[in-house]
Amino acid sequence: MSRAALLVLADGRFPAGGHAHSGGAEAAVRAGRLTDARDLAAFCRGRLHTTGLTSAAFAAAAVLGVDPLALDEAADARTPSPALRATARKLGRQMMRAARATWPGPGLDALAAARPRGAHQPIVLGLAARSAGLGPEDAAHCVLYETVSGPATAAVRLLSLDPFDATGVLARLAPDIDKTARHAVATAHRAVRKGPGALPAASAPLLDITAEAHAAWAVRLFAS
Amino acid sequence: MSVHATARITAAPDGRGGTALPVLESDGPLALRRTRAAAAVPGTGTGLPARVTVVGAMSAPLGGDRLALEAVVRDGAALTVDAAAAMIALPGHRTGDGPADHAGYDMRLTVGESGVLHWLPEQLISVTGSDLRTHTRVELSPTARLVLREELILGRHGEAPGTVTSRLTVHRAGRPLLDQQLALGPGASGGWDGGAVIGGHRAVGQLLLVRPEFEEKPVAPRLLGDTAVLTPLAGPGALVTALAPDARALRRVLDDALAELYR
């Protein structure tokens, strides 16, 4: 694997549109559930172990060659919120465009042709990682880091939180991120033998509930 | 002594427009009683459903127990399953100095063509020190109809919760329709009580409706208060996801949604 390719894919400046999304943080701030660095840590940790774990496992499974269309259907079943399904597909479309320009490959082309309106983002990220010569653990780490760095960055803007505090939250999550990535990859290997049903389905009710409300706001800073 | 028990229900058309129960097997703490059905399910042509009430014959599940409940609704049959009381997850039997074993409770539900299943158990209450893992697996035929309610209560009144992991996996025509897992309580991964997952609420519930008509006419997504939402699934299902401070408030949200959706 190329460590530099991993940095390119994980970079917040990789042009895949992730910066426009708060990962539910904007709605949590409005509801008064996210007010300081302590809340941010709990928010990010909860997100990491729910939607983060599930998404990371899907990305890792895509790297390992599990059928992306079967993964896409299984990802839909794990995303009961239509607002979050739309977000996942929009981010998938943007990731696809960036990835095909960066690391072109037949896997990406085939999925782009089969899902012109976008597949769930972690699956596209997994295929991009594969195309870049990266492994399942790399893809899982990318997804998990994005799972927590999105809300942390958003919290700095929404709460005027000290950026040092926000980065401190991310740094303290590092051991959890590593552990969750290993777990995600282990389930992805199981999915190679048993199909996407073997992947985690960890869910976060508040993220599902507030995503629908947030999508209906007339004015918002972030797309989700 | 831990208990291993599997209770079974099979519902089949009785040939006179109603539903018979060729299999009704209680086992261990899962005692099943045939009770009187309230009314036919409108618009399904299946007549009066058979109704089965789960009567807890003793406190269960305890740590170490492995309970299972299997229900098969054959083509054209209609079955309602409810419960006489909440299920209480209790702490386990400790063997030696090691930690107590978790308890397991699995439900396997199968609904045939034009079959109707209403799965409406009472709450599952997770008591301090308990560790319950439960998995509900549902296999639906393309024309099957389902109403399924699930309510998780973290602790009795004013009590700290135990650990509970609950997964609901629904397939329709062999394809995944809904797959959700919640892991809550002191044994769950960190952040479960934070602003992304349940944010201090102590009652969590889902109400799932699956109907072939939702394929053409899905429900519109709608908020049901600040902490509940009705959403259309990617397939022909409608899901209410709800959080509430307690069991009674949660039931009110789910009952209101059911009354509105179930016509």
Side-chain angles (χ1 to χ4, degrees), chain B residues 34-172:
Chain B
R34 180 162 194 164
T35 43
R36 186 192 293 269
V41 181
T44 58
T46 49
L48 204 63
R51 179 175 161 209
V52 172
T53 300
V54 181
V55 185
M58 55 171 155
S59 284
L62 275 72
D65 288 354
R66 298 290 184 273
L67 307 183
L69 181 49
E70 297 179 0
V72 176
V73 179
R74 295 212 184 119
D75 294 358
L79 173 68
T80 296
V81 178
D82 58 14
M87 181 171 243
I88 300 179
L90 295 166
H93 318 270
R94 206 172 288 271
T95 43
D97 293 334
D101 189 12
H102 72 272
Y105 182 33
D106 284 338
M107 283 144 281
R108 289 182 285 273
L109 318 176
T110 310
V111 188
E113 295 289 352
S114 301
V116 182
L117 174 63
H118 287 196
W119 188 259
L120 301 167
E122 290 299 306
Q123 298 87 351
L124 173 62
I125 303 173
S126 170
V127 164
T128 301
S130 65
D131 183 359
L132 176 67
R133 296 172 203 174
T134 170
H135 196 161
T136 304
R137 293 178 181 83
V138 187
E139 298 284 342
L140 301 173
S141 299
T143 54
R145 286 153 182 276
L146 174 73
V147 176
L148 181 148
R149 180 177 67 207
E150 234 181 38
E151 296 159 301
L152 222 49
I153 312 302
L154 299 181
R156 290 168 291 205
H157 185 72
E159 175 192 52
T163 298
V164 58
T165 303
S166 172
R167 186 161 179 172
L168 170 62
T169 305
V170 183
H171 283 81
R172 177 178 173 269

Side-chain angles (χ1 to χ4, degrees), chain A residues 28 33 39 41-47 49-50 70 73-74 76-82 85 176 196-210 212-213, chain B residues 167 170 175-183 189-199 201 204 221-223 225-234 239 241-243:
Chain A
R33 290 187 199 104
D39 290 348
F43 185 91
C44 288
R45 205 177 288 277
R47 200 169 140 75
H49 291 297
T50 54
E73 189 180 53
D76 262 351
R78 286 160 176 78
T79 318
S81 154
R85 287 197 297 274
D176 260 34
L199 295 171
S203 50
L206 276 173
L207 294 178
D208 289 337
I209 293 166
T210 57
E212 293 303 320
Chain B
R167 186 161 179 172
V170 183
R175 320 299 311 172
L177 176 67
L178 178 67
D179 204 340
Q180 295 274 281
Q181 178 170 301
L182 269 178
S189 296
W192 64 269
D193 206 13
V197 187
I198 64 167
H201 293 84
V204 192
R222 195 154 51 82
L223 287 172
D226 288 339
T227 55
V229 71
L230 166 68
T231 52
L233 301 181
L239 182 73
T241 305
L243 297 173

